[in-house]
Amino acid sequence: MVANSTINITEAYDSLSQACFILWPTDKKKHKDYTKNDGFQSLMDKTETEDFINQRHDKYYKIWNNIKTKIDKLMFDLNLSATNGIFNFVSSKLNNTDNADSINKDIQLPFKEIPTGLIFSGINPDDKRMYKQIVSKIKTVPTNHVAVLESKDCINLKNTMKIIIEQLMETNLNEENENIIDATEFYKKSKIKKSNKAPNYDPYILLGWYKHLEGVSKINNNTTSPVVIEDETKEKENNNNDNNNNSTNQSKAKHKLILFIEDFECFDVLLLQDLISIFSGYSEELPIILLIGIATSLETFHQSLPISSLSLLQIEKFKLLQSYECINEIIQKVFIETIDDFKLGVKPYQYLLDNFNFLNLSVDSFIRGLKFSVMYHFYSNPLSILSSIDPTSSEMDRIFSSLTKRHLDEAKVLTFPSFKFYINSIKSTSPKLVYELLTDDKVLKDSIREGLINLHNYHIKFRVGFECLLELQKLYQSPLFKKSKRALYLLSLQESLYDSAHVQLLIKRSKVITYPIIKKFLETIKLNIEKDEFAKKLLENFVTILNDILLKFEKFDENGNEIKEEEKKERIKKRGKQIKTEEVETKVKKEEIDDDNSYNDTLYKREKVDSSKENKLKNVEEEKINDAIIINENGKRPQKTIYDNVLLSYSNSNGTSTTQRETNISKRLRAEELRGYETMVDEVNQFINKFFKDTLRCYKEFPYYEIIYYTESSKLKKSFSAQPRSVIHTALNYPNHYLNCDCCSDNDNIIESSLHDTCIAYKLYLECGKLINLYDWFVAFGNILKDKIDKSKKKEKEQNKRIKQKQKQEAEEIAKSKEKEIKKKDDIIVLDSDNEIENVILINENKEKGKFEEHHSSDEDNEEKEEEEEEFNEKEIQARFIRAISELQYFGFIKSTNRKVDHVVKLTWGSD
């Protein structure tokens, strides 16, 4: 019986014992409203309209899909070279094996090596993403059949062989399938006894299936080969494309069986040895290729496998990108190169980066945290509708016109840190503007828009400056002057990247860099600025200064020396003479070969002598610089840093030593002696300094940055970092939070006996010091439990009394009824003699004595029982105390000590 929607709930439940029923939902509208926008609710005290909620919802999906596509494309491109190398390795191996065997029959080995590719992925939890990319690339060729093996599935040899056969044949051997090839023909050739069906782990099944595939492919090639050749000739004449060659190669190529072992370190070594030995025996009939993923190194591979199995492998090595390289490229692509999209603030970015560096090294976990931060930014911020839009576009005008007064009030609250900083910086110079910002909505709208435009321009400049900073790092050979992209971006979020010690040191050391290197660096700065039209407009001043500097550089030669007019004329004359001598030498070469050889020998000797002299002079100069006394202007000897020793080679190559003691007169004399590029060192350094100061600023300097930047990290920590300590503390100190019971209270000062044993022990633990006496702890624990036991005893006694009283009442009623019956009989019975009466009286007296003795013995038994119960209760308390302490030890709150045997050390909550 099916109940209709009009039936009441009580009537529906009445039919429970009779038949089945359905309860239809009553409030469908509420359910739809809740799931309409994937949980995006109305903000600003539920005054936000559905239009704004839909805008936030749509922008979240738009921005996240954009970020996800960028990351996926980038990850694919980063590993493209490695995947192409593996694909070429697979496609090049085991081709035309019959011809090779016929040519090299004399050199043929007694065994055939299996081509194996070792893929070094490093410590990368996301290696499965890369392995899927490799497998999908290999499967683009229809003649490649891949079986992926994982250590958790490969328990023994039979199971692994079954998995290999099923994946290569793409069938399930447990089910009856007509496509499975019968292997009885191969059993006839072998010495094994013939059976109706081969077992599902037998390699003869694989061999029969492969022979069947080869036969089918030969038939198809014979029928389709002329058509393919005609198509090839037509398309070669018209387009000259390479795709046709690939198609014909795929049609003519043999079928290949590829085994991919993903996790070599977890795989059973003995099982791998058996697989190698089995497939090496079938290598003449089955074209098998091994691909093995290794996380550690080549030494572990050689140490785990014996020589007997290594000799059967023909090894080639491939290396995938490490996870830290991938995260650097993701940060540059998502946060630096993009301008108007979502950005992370300091705290959430630092949290995600710390998780990556110190916990998991996982790119996927970083992406999940990034997705959560994007979602929560659009979920909780009503002003997020202003992000990811060009502030100068018409769309921004439409959104600003639709903003309500409540949005502007929320802008003051949500952007309170930057808004407060902005007002405090203005109030002394323009107090009228401060008043208008706090009172007038139009002025506030204009200031928000202006702030977004400034942020937009800042992002363009920062992208150029960051790229130039990376180029400046490349000029130094030492790793002390190099930091990763993720670390540099963290510095830029914490403070102005220009003010950081790392960038200041790079700028100062740019004076020591040689002329040709600094010239290339300035040219790269110009190229990076001219890439983007907006950057070129914003950095026009720097472009003009750069052009002036590069024009001055034209006066210098390759070594940075000035080119004089006389030298120019001499060089032109020398070039003309060289051209004439070259023409004469070409004519005379054929006639005077011997003379030329002797002349070349003399030149070679002269060059040797000149080079030895130059080396000696260089060594002398180095010794002079090393022996020089380094003194500051104050007359004190400074301490040498690591950076000074690293960059000593640059100072030697430049030929100037700025660390020698100088007076004012010596400075003037040295300025007169400076020549060539040495005169422009300070000018170039000033330009680099100003350029980085303007481009590498911090986002916190701009007001209303909270509209674009997600700055909260508390939600990320709660969602992605486990907090067992706080959870255990709340569970043990406040069990009512999880149990929802009435017997437990939230008062910290009271330890109730109704609590769990571990909760009682934990509350006593919080009251103790660093060293806890176990006996005192046990006594306090027992006193609390005794109250509980006494209460339970009282309840039991009261219940027993009630039961006894009821039993007595029932017994008295029964006895009264019996007495009444006996009296009735006594009235009828007539006693014959007095002896019978006396006997009845004696019997009654004996009965009363027996009752008294029974009551006395029962009291003694009760006392003994109470003593036994007290002994039992003490043992029970001791057992419960030991269990509670063992649980606290398991959680890591206490540990035993060698100082005192009956004491325990406290490990948390004020143990220091």
Side-chain angles (χ1 to χ4, degrees):
M1 179 179 179
V2 179
N4 296 321
S5 60
T6 56
I7 296 174
N8 293 324
I9 294 170
T10 55
E11 294 175 357
Y13 277 111
D14 290 336
S15 64
L16 179 63
S17 60
Q18 297 176 1
C20 64
F21 59 91
I22 297 172
L23 295 176
W24 298 98
T26 54
D27 297 331
K28 291 184 178 179
K29 293 182 179 179
K30 291 181 180 179
H31 185 69
K32 280 185 178 179
D33 291 337
Y34 184 73
T35 59
K36 189 174 182 180
N37 292 314
D38 296 335
F40 279 73
Q41 298 175 1
S42 178
L43 300 175
M44 300 182 294
D45 296 332
K46 296 184 179 180
T47 58
E48 190 179 17
T49 59
E50 289 186 359
D51 187 14
F52 289 112
I53 296 168
N54 292 327
Q55 285 182 22
R56 288 191 291 114
H57 177 265
D58 296 338
K59 283 198 174 181
Y60 158 67
Y61 277 104
K62 181 182 177 182
I63 288 173
W64 174 244
N65 289 327
N66 189 13
I67 292 169
K68 190 179 178 183
T69 50
K70 284 180 183 177
I71 291 169
D72 292 337
K73 187 180 179 182
L74 189 116
M75 293 294 289
F76 181 80
D77 293 336
L78 288 174
N79 295 310
L80 188 62
S81 61
T83 51
N84 288 332
I86 295 164
F87 178 75
N88 293 328
F89 166 76
V90 171
S91 58
S92 63
K93 294 295 177 182
L94 302 175
N95 287 331
N96 300 321
T97 54
D98 298 332
N99 296 326
D101 291 335
S102 63
I103 293 165
N104 297 322
K105 281 183 179 180
D106 297 331
I107 313 170
Q108 193 172 5
L109 295 170
F111 56 87
K112 196 169 182 181
E113 294 178 341
I114 300 170
T116 61
L118 302 181
I119 303 168
F120 295 96
S121 61
I123 302 169
N124 191 357
D126 310 320
D127 51 1
K128 287 188 178 180
R129 177 202 286 267
M130 302 176 187
Y131 293 156
K132 284 180 182 177
Q133 184 178 342
I134 292 164
V135 171
S136 61
K137 179 73 175 176
I138 292 168
K139 282 185 176 179
T140 53
V141 179
T143 56
N144 291 337
H145 306 277
V146 185
V148 181
L149 301 177
E150 294 183 4
S151 59
K152 62 181 181 180
D153 299 328
C154 301
I155 302 165
N156 51 20
L157 185 61
K158 291 181 181 180
N159 192 19
T160 52
M161 288 300 298
K162 181 187 172 185
I163 291 166
I164 290 166
I165 293 165
E166 284 181 349
Q167 289 190 14
L168 291 174
M169 295 173 64
E170 296 180 356
T171 55
N172 190 1
L173 296 177
N174 293 326
E175 298 176 358
E176 292 183 357
N177 196 346
E178 296 178 355
N179 296 324
I180 297 172
I181 309 300
D182 191 6
T184 53
E185 296 179 359
F186 301 99
Y187 274 97
K188 289 177 184 179
K189 296 179 183 178
S190 64
K191 295 179 181 179
I192 302 169
K193 291 182 180 179
K194 181 182 175 182
S195 60
N196 294 326
K197 279 188 179 181
N200 55 9
Y201 55 84
D202 198 339
Y204 275 108
I205 296 171
L206 193 63
L207 185 60
W209 170 76
Y210 179 73
K211 296 287 184 183
H212 176 71
L213 280 178
E214 286 292 318
V216 172
S217 61
K218 283 179 182 178
I219 293 165
N220 291 329
N221 288 328
N222 291 326
T223 54
T224 59
S225 60
V227 178
V228 172
I229 291 164
E230 289 177 3
D231 292 334
E232 277 184 339
T233 54
K234 286 179 182 178
E235 291 182 2
K236 277 182 181 179
E237 289 174 357
N238 295 325
N239 299 322
N240 292 322
N241 292 326
D242 295 331
N243 295 324
N244 298 315
N245 294 325
N246 293 326
S247 64
T248 53
N249 290 327
Q250 288 177 8
S251 63
K252 292 179 183 179
K254 289 187 176 182
H255 292 271
K256 294 175 185 178
L257 311 180
I258 298 142
L259 305 181
F260 197 161
I261 297 169
E262 290 186 347
D263 45 355
F264 170 74
E265 285 79 9
C266 300
F267 209 84
D268 189 5
V269 179
L270 297 174
L271 180 60
L272 185 59
Q273 291 177 21
D274 295 335
L275 286 174
I276 291 167
S277 61
I278 288 166
F279 286 117
S280 65
Y282 287 93
S283 58
E284 294 181 356
E285 298 173 342
L286 292 173
I288 292 168
I289 299 170
L290 277 176
L291 294 176
I292 301 172
I294 299 172
T296 52
S297 63
L298 186 63
E299 292 178 357
T300 56
F301 183 75
H302 284 293
Q303 289 173 3
S304 57
L305 290 176
I307 297 169
S308 59
S309 56
L310 287 170
S311 62
L312 300 173
L313 302 176
Q314 185 183 355
I315 295 171
E316 286 192 20
K317 293 180 284 185
F318 303 96
K319 192 175 181 181
L320 298 176
L321 276 178
Q322 300 295 320
S323 58
Y324 59 84
E325 294 174 353
C326 297
I327 207 78
N328 286 334
E329 297 300 326
I330 287 169
I331 287 164
Q332 186 175 5
K333 191 76 176 176
V334 175
F335 297 123
I336 296 166
E337 292 184 1
T338 55
I339 296 167
D340 295 320
D341 281 353
F342 171 82
K343 305 282 183 183
L344 279 176
V346 186
K347 291 180 181 178
Y349 177 76
Q350 190 169 11
Y351 170 74
L352 292 175
L353 197 63
D354 289 341
N355 277 344
F356 175 79
N357 289 329
F358 304 120
L359 292 180
N360 48 25
L361 290 173
S362 175
V363 178
D364 287 339
S365 66
F366 184 86
I367 294 167
R368 284 193 293 271
L370 179 61
K371 184 178 181 180
F372 179 84
S373 55
V374 173
M375 179 194 71
Y376 197 78
H377 178 69
F378 285 94
Y379 179 79
S380 61
N381 191 354
L383 296 173
S384 59
I385 55 175
L386 299 172
S387 62
S388 70
I389 301 171
D390 187 0
T392 58
S393 62
S394 60
E395 187 179 356
M396 187 63 81
D397 294 332
R398 182 181 60 79
I399 293 169
F400 264 100
S401 61
S402 64
L403 288 177
T404 61
K405 187 177 181 181
R406 189 61 190 271
H407 280 96
L408 299 174
D409 294 335
E410 287 291 325
K412 297 174 187 177
V413 176
L414 291 171
T415 64
F416 179 72
S418 62
F419 187 68
K420 183 181 178 182
F421 179 77
Y422 178 59
I423 285 173
N424 289 329
S425 63
I426 289 172
K427 67 181 181 181
S428 60
T429 56
S430 55
K432 186 178 179 182
L433 181 61
V434 173
Y435 178 75
E436 289 176 351
L437 285 170
L438 296 172
T439 55
D440 195 354
D441 293 338
K442 291 182 180 178
V443 177
L444 185 62
K445 278 185 183 181
D446 295 335
S447 68
I448 290 169
R449 184 156 192 177
E450 187 180 355
L452 293 174
I453 291 168
N454 291 330
L455 274 171
H456 176 78
N457 296 333
Y458 157 72
H459 291 147
I460 294 169
K461 290 181 181 180
F462 181 79
R463 181 180 63 188
V464 177
F466 195 85
E467 289 176 357
C468 296
L469 182 63
L470 294 174
E471 292 293 329
L472 182 61
Q473 283 191 147
K474 291 177 184 177
L475 303 182
Y476 302 99
Q477 297 176 356
S478 174
L480 296 169
F481 294 95
K482 293 179 181 179
K483 282 193 175 183
S484 60
K485 294 175 184 177
R486 60 184 186 276
L488 288 172
Y489 189 66
L490 179 62
L491 287 174
S492 69
L493 295 176
Q494 289 174 347
E495 59 178 356
S496 176
L497 190 56
Y498 168 77
D499 295 331
S500 63
H502 178 70
V503 176
Q504 287 295 321
L505 191 136
L506 292 175
I507 293 168
K508 286 177 183 177
R509 295 294 172 182
S510 64
K511 289 183 178 181
V512 187
I513 299 172
T514 55
Y515 167 74
I517 297 171
I518 202 72
K519 186 179 178 182
K520 287 180 182 178
F521 173 65
L522 294 175
E523 287 173 354
T524 53
I525 290 174
K526 188 178 178 181
L527 288 172
N528 289 327
I529 293 169
E530 290 177 350
K531 278 181 186 177
D532 192 359
E533 294 180 358
F534 296 104
K536 195 175 179 181
K537 290 178 182 178
L538 294 170
L539 300 169
E540 281 181 358
N541 297 325
F542 295 103
V543 173
T544 54
I545 295 165
L546 253 179
N547 292 325
D548 294 337
I549 292 168
L550 292 173
L551 281 171
K552 291 178 183 178
F553 280 176
E554 291 180 357
K555 297 177 183 179
F556 307 139
D557 59 1
E558 295 177 354
N559 297 320
N561 298 319
E562 290 183 2
I563 302 170
K564 296 179 181 179
E565 293 181 357
E566 296 177 356
E567 290 179 357
K568 287 181 182 179
K569 292 177 181 178
E570 288 178 359
R571 285 184 181 181
I572 292 164
K573 289 178 181 179
K574 285 180 181 179
R575 286 176 186 174
K577 288 179 181 179
Q578 285 177 0
I579 292 163
K580 289 179 181 179
T581 52
E582 285 175 0
E583 289 177 357
V584 172
E585 283 176 359
T586 52
K587 292 178 181 178
V588 179
K589 265 183 184 180
K590 295 179 181 179
E591 298 175 355
E592 297 179 351
I593 293 168
D594 297 330
D595 295 333
D596 289 332
N597 289 328
S598 63
Y599 180 70
N600 289 326
D601 292 332
T602 54
L603 282 174
Y604 178 73
K605 289 177 183 179
R606 286 178 184 175
E607 286 175 358
K608 261 191 172 183
V609 173
D610 294 333
S611 62
S612 63
K613 286 180 180 178
E614 288 176 358
N615 290 324
K616 285 180 181 179
L617 289 170
K618 284 181 181 179
N619 292 325
V620 170
E621 288 176 357
E622 287 176 359
E623 288 175 358
K624 285 180 181 179
I625 290 164
N626 291 325
D627 294 333
I629 297 170
I630 301 168
I631 297 171
N632 281 333
E633 293 179 356
N634 298 324
K636 294 181 180 180
R637 186 189 298 272
Q639 293 180 355
K640 277 190 177 182
T641 60
I642 299 167
Y643 304 108
D644 294 326
N645 295 323
V646 169
L647 285 174
L648 188 62
S649 60
Y650 293 107
S651 63
N652 293 334
S653 62
N654 195 11
T656 59
S657 59
T658 58
T659 57
Q660 292 179 356
R661 185 176 179 178
E662 290 181 346
T663 60
N664 293 324
I665 297 167
S666 64
K667 284 180 183 178
R668 290 174 187 174
L669 293 171
R670 190 172 65 81
E672 291 175 359
E673 292 176 357
L674 292 175
R675 294 176 182 178
Y677 171 66
E678 294 172 357
T679 57
M680 293 185 66
V681 170
D682 294 330
E683 186 180 352
V684 172
N685 193 10
Q686 285 177 4
F687 167 76
I688 294 168
N689 202 345
K690 289 179 181 178
F691 176 74
F692 285 127
K693 188 176 182 180
D694 188 43
T695 55
L696 299 179
R697 297 169 68 186
C698 185
Y699 73 98
K700 293 178 183 177
E701 298 176 9
F702 300 92
Y704 313 110
Y705 66 82
E706 291 90 350
I707 294 170
I708 296 171
Y709 285 82
Y710 175 70
T711 56
E712 293 182 3
S713 62
S714 58
K715 298 292 181 182
L716 268 173
K717 289 178 181 177
K718 286 181 181 179
S719 302
F720 288 93
S721 62
Q723 298 173 350
R725 183 168 173 171
S726 61
V727 171
I728 291 167
H729 175 71
T730 53
L732 294 176
N733 203 18
Y734 308 104
N736 187 24
H737 182 74
Y738 292 101
L739 298 176
N740 294 323
C741 58
D742 298 328
C743 59
C744 302
S745 64
D746 295 334
N747 194 354
D748 294 331
N749 298 321
I750 299 169
I751 302 174
E752 296 177 350
S753 59
S754 61
L755 294 171
H756 194 266
D757 295 341
T758 49
C759 297
I760 295 167
Y762 181 72
K763 286 196 170 188
L764 293 170
Y765 164 85
L766 295 175
E767 296 176 358
C768 298
K770 187 175 181 180
L771 288 172
I772 304 171
N773 192 343
L774 287 172
Y775 181 74
D776 296 338
W777 199 1
F778 170 69
V779 171
F781 183 80
N783 290 327
I784 294 166
L785 283 183
K786 279 180 182 178
D787 296 334
K788 186 177 181 180
I789 292 165
D790 292 337
K791 288 179 182 179
S792 63
K793 280 183 180 180
K794 285 180 181 178
K795 286 182 181 179
E796 287 179 358
K797 285 180 180 179
E798 289 176 357
Q799 288 177 358
N800 291 327
K801 282 182 181 179
R802 290 173 185 173
I803 291 165
K804 285 179 181 180
Q805 285 176 0
K806 286 181 181 179
Q807 289 176 356
K808 283 181 180 180
Q809 289 176 1
E810 290 175 356
E812 287 175 357
E813 289 176 357
I814 292 165
K816 287 179 182 179
S817 62
K818 285 182 179 180
E819 285 177 358
K820 288 179 182 179
E821 290 176 356
I822 290 165
K823 284 180 181 179
K824 288 179 181 178
K825 289 180 181 179
D826 290 338
D827 294 335
I828 296 165
I829 295 168
V830 179
L831 297 174
D832 294 333
S833 62
D834 295 331
N835 292 325
E836 290 179 356
I837 294 167
E838 291 176 357
N839 291 325
V840 171
I841 291 165
L842 290 170
I843 289 163
N844 290 326
E845 288 177 355
N846 291 324
K847 285 180 180 179
E848 288 176 357
K849 288 179 181 179
K851 287 179 181 179
F852 178 75
E853 289 175 355
E854 286 177 358
H855 181 71
H856 183 69
S857 63
S858 64
D859 291 335
E860 291 178 353
D861 292 334
N862 289 327
E863 289 178 358
E864 290 177 355
K865 285 180 181 178
E866 286 177 357
E867 290 177 357
E868 289 177 356
E869 284 178 356
E870 286 178 358
E871 291 178 357
F872 176 74
N873 290 330
E874 288 179 357
K875 290 179 180 179
E876 182 184 354
I877 290 166
Q878 189 175 0
R880 290 167 71 177
F881 178 71
I882 291 166
R883 185 181 65 181
I885 284 173
S886 62
E887 287 180 356
L888 291 176
Q889 187 178 6
Y890 175 74
F891 287 136
F893 289 105
I894 56 172
K895 73 171 183 177
S896 59
T897 56
N898 294 323
R899 293 180 184 178
K900 294 181 180 180
V901 180
D902 57 345
H903 281 68
V904 171
V905 178
K906 192 176 182 181
L907 297 177
T908 56
W909 305 118
S911 60
D912 297 333

